[in-house]
C-alpha cells in the first residue's frame, strides 16, 4: 500500500468485526466475533496516524507499545507485531477479546477524537490469533536457572501473568489451582462464545512448555497453607485467588430452587459442560422455553443472560436498578446481547422472590426506580418510586451483582493484612504484603476488576518477586 | 489421578473405598470432606472423609450408591483411578470436652459420625453412639464404633437387629433414663436429623448436624450449597458443614436437594440403558 497522508488515514472507516449472525449464534456456543482477516487488519492498521506522542499507551494498564505493534501490522509483519505486544502483555489473545478497550487504549486514541478510534483490541486479537494459528505460540527464551522456587496460588489471569514472567526470569514456578482445570475465571466464568476455551488452554500449554508446573485440586489454605508452602522450600508465594465469593441480593425467597449465583450458573455450564447433559454428568436448570431473569449490569450479567438465551430461554431479561448509561458492562457485550434478543428492564429493583409450595421460584416482585443525584461511585443513585411495585413471572433467576473475597486464605493466614471486606492489603507498586516473601494481586486485592488489571498485577508482582529473590541471595 | 487401594461393599449398595491421597490423609480432621470427580465427564460431588491412614497415605470414603455418580464410583475396584479428589474441605468438627457426648448415625451417616466420635473420645468425653439402619444388613461400622465408644446402641427400623425402632427412640430412652447428655452429634437423612433436633431442643442439649447440600466447587465460589441457619444464608462448604441443629432450616435444605431429582433419574436411566447396550454389544461380539 502506498504511504498515506494522515488526512487519507482519517478517511478510512473503522473496520467492523465480522461476527456470527445473531439469529444463528443465539442457538450455539461458538465464538460470536470471528476476528479480522489479514485484509481487514491491514486496513485498520492504516488508520493509525502514528502519533509522535501516542496517548493510547497511557490508557493501557500494562503499557503495550500500541503504536509500534500497529505499524508492524500495517507492514504485514504480524509475528513481529506479536513479539512487540508480548513485551508487555503475556495474554494478548485473551486480552484482545475481553479487555474493555473502549474505556482504556481506544478511549485515548487521537483518531478517536475526531471520528472513531483505531480498533486496537481487534488488532491485538488478530496478531495473537495469527501467531497461534500459523506457527503456534512461540516459546520465550529463559534466563539461566536461579535455583529459587515460587508458589503461585490461583491459575487465573493474575497467576498466569506472574508465572509467565517468573519462569522467563529463571525461577522455578509452581501454580496451585483449587479446581480441576486451569485458567480460573477464564475457564469457569467467561463463556465459550466470548472466549473459546482452546485459547486459554493454548496459553496454559505454552507456559507448561516453558517449565511452569501446574497442580490442580490444591486449595491453598486447606490442602497446604501459605506457611507450609514457605517451609516446603518455596522462596516466595504470590496469592492470586481472585474474588470468588458471590454476593446475593439478601432479599426474601433467595433460596428457592431456580435461584443461582452467576458463578454457579456459569460454572455449571462452562466448566462442567452442563449444556451437554446427560453426556456430561452435571445438570443445570432446564432453561428451554422458560423465563430467566439476570440481576446486574456488568459483563458477568451479560455472560449469564446470553448463556441462558443459548440454552433456549423463551424470555431472557436483564434486570438492573439504574439505567442503560450506568451499566458497567462493555458496550460491545450489551450490543451483542440486544441483537440476540435479550430484554433489558432498567430502573427495576428486586424486592422479593416468590415460589410455589414445592420450593420452586415462580416470580419476582419488582419496584420501579428513578435516578437521583450521583452517589459515591459517580453514578446517579436509583431511588424507589412509591407504589410502583409489580410482579414478573420468572422460572429462573441469576444473581450477578459481584463477588466478595473468599475467606479460606484469610482464615488460614491470619498474619496478612486484610481490609474489612477481606481483601488483602499490599504495597501497590510491589504487590508485597507485610509478610516476608508473600505477595498478592488481582481481584483478591482490588475486588472484582478486569482480566487485564489482574494480569498486570501479576506481572508487577513478578518483577517485585524477582527483585526480592535476587536480593535475598 | 487418585488410586483406589481397596474397595468393598459393607452394606447393600454401600461401599467402603480406600483412596491413595497422602496430602489429604495428613491434613484432614474429623468433619471435613473432599470433592470427587470420577472422570472427565463427571460431576463434582462432596463426600465426607470417614477415616484416614497416615502411614499408608490413604483416606476412606463410604459411599451410598444413590444417583449415577455414586453408583459409578461404587463400580470401581482396587487398582482403578479417580480423576480428581480435592480437600480436605470445610471446617473441622468443633471438638471439646463436653462431658457425655452422643454420636448418632443413621444409615450411611454413621460413616460421617464415626471420625467425630473418635475425636470426641480423644478429647476426653464419655462417648456413646447410637447407630441405626433400616434392617440388620444396613447397619455399618458397629465394630469400629465399639472400639472407640464407651457404649454403642444399634437400632433397626424393622427390629431385625439391636433395638427395634429409630435412633430417636433410643435417644429419648436415654434421656428418660435420666442419663446426663451434654452434647449430641446427629448425621443421617434429613428427616432423621430434624427428628433428633426436635428431641434435644426440649431439653436444651447442644446438638450439631452435618449438612449435605448439592455442591459444585466446594470452596465458596459458587454459592450453590447455601442453606438457611438462624434465618441467615450460609455457604455450607466454607461455613460448615456442621451447624447447630436447632437453628437449621431443614425444610429448605430438603427442597434444595431436590433441585435435580428429575435429572438424576434421567441420568440413571440413560446410563443403565447404555450399560445394557454395552453388555449386548459385548455378547454379540463374543
Amino acid at each position: 500500500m502506498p504511504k498515506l497522508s494522515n488526512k487519507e488515514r482519517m478517511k478510512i472507516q473503522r473496520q467492523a468485526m465480522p461476527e456470527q449472525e445473531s439469529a444463528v449464534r443465539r442457538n450455539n456456543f461458538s465464538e460470536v466475533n470471528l476476528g479480522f482477516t489479514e485484509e481487514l487488519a491491514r486496513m485498520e492498521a492504516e488508520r493509525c496516524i502514528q502519533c509522535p506522542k501516542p496517548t493510547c499507551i497511557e490508557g493501557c494498564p500494562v503499557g503495550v507499545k500500541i503504536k509500534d505493534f500497529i505499524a508492524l501490522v500495517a507492514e504485514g509483519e504480524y509475528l513481529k507485531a506479536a513479539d512487540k505486544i508480548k513485551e508487555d502483555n503475556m495474554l494478548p489473545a485473551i486480552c484482545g477479546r475481553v479487555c474493555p478497550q473502549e474505556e482504556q487504549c481506544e478511549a485515548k486514541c487521537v483518531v478517536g477524537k475526531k471520528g472513531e478510534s483505531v480498533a486496537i483490541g481487534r488488532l491485538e486479537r488478530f496478531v495473537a490469533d495469527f501467531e497461534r494459528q500459523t506457527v503456534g505460540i512461540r516459546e520465550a527464551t529463559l534466563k539461566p536457572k536461579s535455583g529459587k522456587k515460587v508458589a503461585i496460588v490461583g491459575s487465573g489471569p493474575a497467576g498466569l501473568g506472574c508465572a509467565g514472567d517468573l519462569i522467563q526470569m529463571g525461577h522455578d514456578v509452581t501454580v496451585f489451582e483449587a479446581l480441576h482445570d486451569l485458567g480460573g475465571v477464564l475457564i469457569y466464568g467467561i463463556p465459550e462464545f466470548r472466549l473459546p476455551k482452546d485459547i486459554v488452554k493454548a496459553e496454559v500449554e505454552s507456559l507448561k512448555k516453558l517449565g511452569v508446573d501446574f497442580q490442580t485440586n490444591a486449595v491453598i489454605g486447606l490442602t497446604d497453607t501459605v506457611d507450609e508452602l514457605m517451609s516446603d522450600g518455596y522462596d516466595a508465594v504470590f496469592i492470586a485467588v481472585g474474588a470468588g465469593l458471590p454476593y446475593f441480593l439478601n432479599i426474601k425467597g433467595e433460596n428457592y430452587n431456580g435461584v443461582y449465583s452467576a458463578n454457579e450458573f456459569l460454572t455449571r455450564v462452562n466448566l462442567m459442560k452442563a449444556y451437554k447433559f446427560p453426556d456430561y454428568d452435571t445438570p443445570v436448570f432446564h432453561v428451554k422455553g422458560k423465563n430467566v431473569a439476570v440481576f446486574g449490569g456488568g459483563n458477568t450479567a451479560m455472560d449469564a443472560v446470553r448463556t441462558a438465551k443459548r440454552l433456549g430461554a423463551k424470555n431472557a431479561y436483564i434486570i438492573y436498578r439504574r439505567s442503560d448509561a450506568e451499566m458497567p458492562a462493555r458496550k460491545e457485550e450489551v450490543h451483542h446481547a440486544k441483537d440476540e434478543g435479550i430484554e433489558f428492564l432498567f430502573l427495576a429493583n428486586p424486592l422479593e422472590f416468590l415460589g410455589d409450595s414445592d420450593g420452586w421460584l415462580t416470580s419476582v416482585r419488582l419496584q420501579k426506580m428513578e435516578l437521583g443525584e450521583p452517589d459515591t461511585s459517580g453514578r446517579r443513585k436509583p431511588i424507589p418510586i412509591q407504589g410502583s411495585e409489580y410482579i414478573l413471572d420468572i422460572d429462573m433467576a441469576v444473581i450477578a451483582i459481584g463477588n466478595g473475597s473468599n475467606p479460606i486464605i484469610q482464615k488460614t493466614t491470619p498474619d496478612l493484612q486484610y481490609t474489612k471486606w477481606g481483601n488483602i492489603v499490599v504495597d501497590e507498586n510491589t504487590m508485597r504484603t507485610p509478610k516476608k516473601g508473600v505477595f498478592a494481586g488481582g481481584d483478591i486485592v482490588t475486588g472484582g476488576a478486569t482480566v487485564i488489571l489482574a494480569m498486570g498485577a501479576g506481572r508487577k508482582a513478578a518483577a517485585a518477586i524477582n527483585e526480592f529473590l535476587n536480593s535475598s541471595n | 489421578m487418585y488410586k483406589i487401594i481397596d474397595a468393598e461393599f459393607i452394606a447393600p449398595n454401600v461401599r467402603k473405598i480406600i483412596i491413595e491421597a497422602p496430602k489429604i490423609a495428613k491434613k484432614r480432621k474429623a468433619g471435613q470432606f473432599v470433592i470427587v470427580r470420577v472422570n472427565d465427564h463427571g460431576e463434582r460431588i462432596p463426600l465426607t472423609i470417614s477415616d484416614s491412614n497416615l502411614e499408608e497415605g490413604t483416606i476412606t470414603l463410604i459411599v451410598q450408591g444413590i444417583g449415577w455418580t455414586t453408583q459409578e464410583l461404587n463400580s470401581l475396584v482396587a487398582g482403578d483411578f479417580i480423576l480428581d479428589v480435592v480437600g480436605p474441605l470445610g471446617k473441622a468438627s468443633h471438638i471439646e470436652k463436653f462431658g457425655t457426648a452422643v454420636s448418632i448415625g443413621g444409615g450411611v451417616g454413621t460413616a460421617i459420625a464415626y471420625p467425630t466420635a473418635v475425636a470426641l473420645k480423644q478429647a476426653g468425653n464419655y462417648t456413646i453412639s447410637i447407630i441405626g439402619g433400616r434392617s440388620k444388613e444396613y447397619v455399618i461400622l458397629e465394630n469400629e464404633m465399639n472400639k472407640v465408644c464407651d457404649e454403642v446402641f444399634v437400632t433397626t427400623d424393622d427390629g431385625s437387629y439391636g433395638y427395634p425402632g429409630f435412633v430417636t427412640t433410643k435417644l429419648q430412652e436415654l434421656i428418660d433414663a435420666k442419663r446426663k447428655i451434654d452434647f449430641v452429634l446427629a448425621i443421617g437423612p434429613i428427616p432423621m436429623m430434624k427428628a433428633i433436633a426436635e428431641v434435644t431442643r426440649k431439653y436444651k442439649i447442644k446438638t450439631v448436624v452435618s449438612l449435605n447440600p448439592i455442591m459444585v466447587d466446594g470452596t465458596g465460589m459458587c454459592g450453590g450449597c447455601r442453606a438457611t441457619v438462624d434465618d441467615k444464608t450460609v455457604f455450607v462448604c466454607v461455613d460448615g458443614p456442621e451447624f447447630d441443629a436447632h437453628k437449621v432450616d431443614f425444610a429448605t435444605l430438603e427442597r434444595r436437594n431436590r433441585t435435580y431429582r428429575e435429572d438424576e433419574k434421567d441420568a440413571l436411566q440413560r446410563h443403565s440403558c447404555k450399560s445394557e447396550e454395552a453388555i449386548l454389544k459385548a455378547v454379540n461380539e463374543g
Side-chain angles (χ1 to χ4, degrees):
Chain A
M1 208 178 264
K3 200 103 175 100
L4 301 177
S5 70
N6 278 357
K7 211 171 168 187
E8 287 168 316
R9 291 180 192 278
M10 300 283 278
K11 275 190 186 153
I12 308 171
Q13 291 289 312
R14 180 176 158 115
Q15 304 299 304
M17 170 61 87
E19 55 184 43
Q20 274 198 75
E21 284 287 332
S22 58
V24 177
R25 71 178 190 243
R26 68 177 173 215
N27 296 312
N28 69 46
F29 277 87
S30 305
E31 195 176 11
V32 170
N33 288 339
L34 302 173
F36 276 171
T37 58
E38 257 188 83
E39 290 69 33
L40 289 172
R42 287 185 77 163
M43 186 64 86
E44 185 63 32
E46 290 290 355
R47 296 184 65 233
C48 174
I49 57 172
Q50 296 288 311
C51 305
K53 282 185 191 156
T55 47
C56 50
I57 190 168
E58 292 167 15
C60 176
V62 298
V64 168
K65 297 173 196 83
I66 295 164
K67 169 185 159 177
D68 299 349
F69 101 74
I70 292 183
L72 289 163
V73 175
E75 290 165 22
E77 297 283 359
Y78 310 127
L79 291 177
K80 282 187 187 161
D83 293 338
K84 186 56 73 181
I85 296 174
K86 284 205 261 181
E87 287 174 15
D88 304 290
N89 182 355
M90 289 292 296
L91 307 167
I94 295 169
C95 295
R97 286 173 166 81
V98 303
C99 257
Q101 293 101 4
E102 64 281 3
E103 293 167 16
Q104 300 180 347
C105 50
E106 294 179 16
K108 302 264 181 171
C109 172
V110 170
V111 176
K113 301 248 183 320
K114 286 198 173 156
E116 282 194 284
S117 58
V118 175
I120 300 167
R122 293 170 188 175
L123 288 172
E124 179 183 41
R125 170 193 160 134
F126 166 78
V127 166
D129 287 356
F130 181 88
E131 180 195 25
R132 197 182 61 257
Q133 287 160 4
T134 56
V135 296
I137 302 172
R138 287 159 304 153
E139 285 180 37
T141 44
L142 306 184
K143 292 224 171 89
K145 282 285 169 204
S146 67
K148 304 281 184 178
K149 283 168 66 181
V150 184
I152 295 177
V153 186
S155 70
L160 295 181
C162 191
D165 278 5
L166 286 172
I167 197 85
Q168 289 180 44
M169 292 165 178
H171 309 299
D172 283 336
V173 179
T174 306
V175 179
F176 295 91
E177 168 56 49
L179 288 169
H180 57 260
D181 208 351
L182 299 163
V185 72
L186 305 172
I187 260 307
Y188 74 73
I190 303 177
E192 179 78 17
F193 58 81
R194 197 151 74 86
L195 177 64
K197 300 308 150 217
D198 281 349
I199 290 171
V200 181
K201 286 194 196 325
E203 296 289 353
V204 169
E205 281 308 312
S206 81
L207 291 176
K208 280 186 186 166
K209 271 194 207 153
L210 292 178
V212 176
D213 176 30
F214 286 94
Q215 302 212 0
T216 53
N217 297 329
V219 185
I220 299 306
L222 294 170
T223 314
D224 279 307
T225 62
V226 172
D227 286 325
E228 282 166 331
L229 292 176
M230 300 295 275
S231 58
D232 277 357
Y234 288 98
D235 301 290
V237 177
F238 177 54
I239 301 170
V241 296
L245 190 81
Y247 286 134
F248 283 88
L249 294 162
N250 287 321
I251 60 175
K252 231 175 129 189
E254 206 156 25
N255 291 342
Y256 278 127
N257 294 358
V259 182
Y260 289 78
S261 74
N263 283 2
E264 183 184 3
F265 178 55
L266 291 171
T267 299
R268 282 182 179 272
V269 178
N270 296 331
L271 178 73
M272 306 309 296
K273 301 193 168 57
Y275 64 96
K276 294 182 182 168
F277 182 87
D279 288 338
Y280 282 75
D281 295 338
T282 303
V284 71
F285 185 85
H286 289 267
V287 173
K288 212 176 176 72
K290 300 287 174 60
N291 297 323
V292 178
V294 176
F295 296 84
N299 289 322
T300 306
M302 298 306 136
D303 286 345
V305 78
R306 295 169 70 198
T307 296
K309 194 76 193 173
R310 281 161 174 75
L311 291 172
K314 184 167 86 180
N315 294 301
Y317 305 102
I318 282 283
I319 297 181
Y320 184 54
R321 64 199 186 109
R322 304 181 200 238
S323 79
D324 206 337
E326 289 82 23
M327 274 204 300
R330 292 189 64 195
K331 294 227 158 35
E332 180 182 280
E333 306 307 331
V334 176
H335 165 77
H336 278 155
K338 285 182 177 165
D339 277 356
E340 289 163 15
I342 306 302
E343 292 170 60
F344 286 74
L345 303 183
F346 293 116
L347 295 165
N349 189 40
L351 297 177
E352 179 187 9
F353 289 113
L354 303 163
D356 64 20
S357 55
D358 290 331
W360 285 89
L361 175 71
T362 54
S363 59
V364 58
R365 192 157 60 85
L366 297 167
Q367 180 173 43
K368 288 186 181 160
M369 311 291 274
E370 59 189 350
L371 290 180
E373 296 298 311
D375 63 12
T376 48
S377 74
R379 295 178 298 179
R380 292 180 63 192
K381 195 182 163 157
I383 300 165
I385 300 172
Q386 296 307 321
S388 67
E389 293 174 19
Y390 65 108
I391 304 274
L392 179 73
D393 288 342
I394 52 170
D395 306 288
M396 183 200 192
V398 180
I399 318 298
I401 56 168
N403 283 281
S405 42
N406 193 287
I408 293 175
I409 291 280
Q410 183 169 7
K411 277 184 193 156
T412 54
T413 323
D415 53 343
L416 293 179
Q417 258 186 321
Y418 301 89
T419 66
K420 64 175 171 179
W421 300 281
N423 296 109
I424 298 176
V425 178
V426 296
D427 175 308
E428 59 181 66
N429 293 313
T430 62
M431 302 290 153
R432 246 180 215 249
T433 69
K435 191 175 165 82
K436 196 180 174 207
V438 179
F439 300 72
D443 281 3
I444 188 61
V445 168
T446 56
T450 59
V451 170
I452 187 76
L453 271 175
M455 193 211 65
R459 301 200 67 206
K460 227 191 239 183
I465 290 169
N466 185 48
E467 201 172 293
F468 167 76
L469 295 176
N470 292 339
S471 67
S472 60
N473 267 328
Chain B
M1 299 279 271
Y2 298 77
K3 192 175 182 182
I4 295 180
I5 302 301
D6 198 14
E8 57 166 337
F9 280 105
I10 57 169
N13 225 6
V14 175
R15 199 157 166 86
K16 177 175 164 184
I17 305 174
I18 299 176
I19 302 163
E20 195 172 69
K23 228 169 200 175
I24 302 172
K26 201 172 103 188
K27 295 300 293 261
R28 73 99 198 181
K29 292 198 173 91
Q32 290 187 298
F33 64 94
V34 289
I35 293 254
V36 167
R37 191 174 70 129
V38 179
N39 57 42
D40 67 355
H41 282 218
E43 62 181 331
R44 296 169 63 97
I45 59 161
L47 293 164
T48 300
I49 304 163
S50 187
D51 204 352
S52 63
N53 184 323
L54 266 182
E55 281 159 32
E56 313 271 332
T58 59
I59 57 168
T60 302
L61 303 178
I62 293 181
V63 184
Q64 186 173 22
I66 305 169
W68 163 244
T69 298
T70 45
Q71 292 202 8
E72 191 179 33
L73 195 54
N74 281 359
S75 73
L76 300 179
V77 297
D80 285 347
F81 288 87
I82 297 172
L83 186 55
D84 297 296
V85 179
V86 56
L89 302 172
K91 284 187 189 165
S93 304
H94 172 77
I95 302 293
E96 62 175 273
K97 190 172 173 183
F98 295 103
T100 297
V102 181
S103 303
I104 305 173
V108 76
T110 303
I112 304 168
Y114 170 70
T116 306
V118 172
L120 286 166
K121 180 67 196 169
Q122 284 167 352
N125 290 287
Y126 184 84
T127 311
I128 299 173
S129 76
I130 306 173
I131 58 179
R134 251 189 287 164
S135 59
K136 185 183 178 185
E137 51 188 358
Y138 289 95
V139 174
I140 61 169
L141 302 186
E142 187 187 356
N143 290 337
E144 285 82 351
M145 282 295 199
N146 265 321
K147 275 182 207 155
V148 296
C149 296
D150 298 289
E151 291 175 64
V152 177
F153 301 98
V154 178
T155 67
T156 50
D157 302 359
D158 66 358
S160 56
Y161 185 58
Y163 295 82
F166 298 119
V167 286
T168 39
T169 326
K170 189 69 217 173
L171 177 66
Q172 186 67 57
E173 271 181 35
L174 292 177
I175 293 169
D176 293 344
K178 301 280 188 270
R179 295 285 302 261
K180 182 173 118 3
I181 297 172
D182 303 293
F183 176 78
V184 169
L185 167 80
I187 302 173
I190 293 171
M192 175 219 124
M193 293 195 288
K194 198 175 162 187
I196 294 283
E198 289 319 311
V199 170
T200 59
R201 191 192 305 274
K202 283 178 279 188
Y203 306 96
K204 297 195 171 67
I205 301 170
K206 184 179 167 62
T207 303
V208 162
V209 288
S210 178
L211 306 189
N212 58 338
I214 297 165
M215 291 187 187
V216 184
D217 64 294
T219 63
M221 188 270 280
C222 86
C225 66
R226 62 195 190 278
T228 311
V229 178
D230 205 10
D231 286 329
K232 285 192 269 299
T233 292
V234 295
F235 288 8
V236 173
C237 67
V238 287
D239 298 324
E242 293 183 0
F243 294 95
D244 182 339
H246 299 148
K247 293 180 177 165
V248 171
D249 174 354
F250 288 105
T252 302
L253 177 69
E254 201 163 21
R255 283 201 308 254
R256 287 185 62 78
N257 277 358
R258 284 202 299 260
T259 302
Y260 303 106
R261 202 168 46 173
E262 292 306 313
D263 296 304
E264 283 157 14
K265 277 188 207 156
D266 190 31
L268 258 185
Q269 204 173 2
R270 279 171 195 252
H271 281 294
S272 64
C273 294
K274 236 191 257 172
S275 33
E276 274 167 32
E277 270 172 37
I279 293 164
L280 277 176
K281 198 171 166 229
V283 170
N284 288 337
E285 287 171 3

